[in-house]
Amino acid sequence: TQTEVAKRVLVVGAGPAGMELAATLAERGHTVTLWERESALGGQMRIAAEAPENASFGRFIDFQARRLAALGVAVELGKTADAEAVLAFAADVVVIATGADAREPEIEGVHLPFVVQGRDVMAGTADTGQRVAVIAMEDHMQPLTIAGYLGDQGKQVQLVYQTPAVAPLIGKYSIGAPVAKITSAGGSVRIMERVVEIEQGRLRTRNVYSDAEGEVTDFDTVVLACGGRANTRLHHELTGKVENLHILGDAYAPRRIWFATRQAYELALQI
């Protein structure tokens, strides 16, 4: 159903939330412009699609790209948005969907040169050695996806969780395939170990219950799979300067893809 009053809307960020919002708004008769700082649509979903088991993510992004084009949404890739540019655009409605930044845990040694972010590894902007230790501090699929991706490249992976179980927000039947892939490639999965310090060739750990000391050795690179922190910077800069301003997706709170797209759809009905 189309809206009675068409508005000129600027959506900043073309991840799952931004794409869904832009398309649904256009379907409702609004004039929509979508800015994305990267050279392609999809946000972190596009990076996750690099894993073979996430091939459907790529198909979803392609579907949304065709949908946006058919609806006449003005998609501007490689467009970095700042407060000045957004204000100059003078849209009736501005929606911030800038996603989440990679979370960096407060661990001594986290800034050493052999420590990299998992999303950078999957995006092809960070390299690893043959032996990799993955620090898992996210309760859903991210650590398993990153570890599995490395295993597919022939890397030997040690995946270290501080939780009592692997991916506690995933059902026990769903984790079987990725864990099998990691271990069949010569990798291992460790639980209940909190990493307290990163050193060259050694992670110092403590058991989360007993505080007993332990260690992880035999690695060249440490990869962080620690979830994300909402990127709210642009929203904060525009608050009080844009009358009709919204925030959604991982910029609102890092959650699942279904939450981001559902939130976007519901917001589109209110604009």
Side-chain angles (χ1 to χ4, degrees), residues 14-99:
M19 291 188 297
E20 178 63 28
L21 178 71
T24 305
L25 286 172
E27 288 170 345
R28 289 175 55 76
H30 298 291
T31 300
V32 185
T33 298
L34 178 61
W35 287 356
E36 169 54 46
R37 68 179 179 180
E38 302 296 336
S39 60
L41 299 170
Q44 292 305 307
M45 191 179 193
R46 177 174 53 83
I47 295 175
E50 292 297 317
E53 63 269 23
N54 292 337
S56 61
F57 290 3
R59 294 193 293 271
F60 175 80
I61 294 168
D62 291 342
F63 163 77
Q64 292 288 50
R66 293 192 299 270
R67 184 182 175 201
L68 292 166
L71 290 165
V73 173
V75 177
E76 297 186 31
L77 301 175
K79 175 74 174 182
T80 300
D82 56 24
E84 183 180 0
V86 172
L87 293 172
F89 190 82
D92 301 317
V93 182
V94 175
V95 183
I96 306 302
T98 45

Side-chain angles (χ1 to χ4, degrees), residues 167 170-177:
I170 302 294
K172 61 182 180 181
Y173 299 111
S174 297
I175 68 171

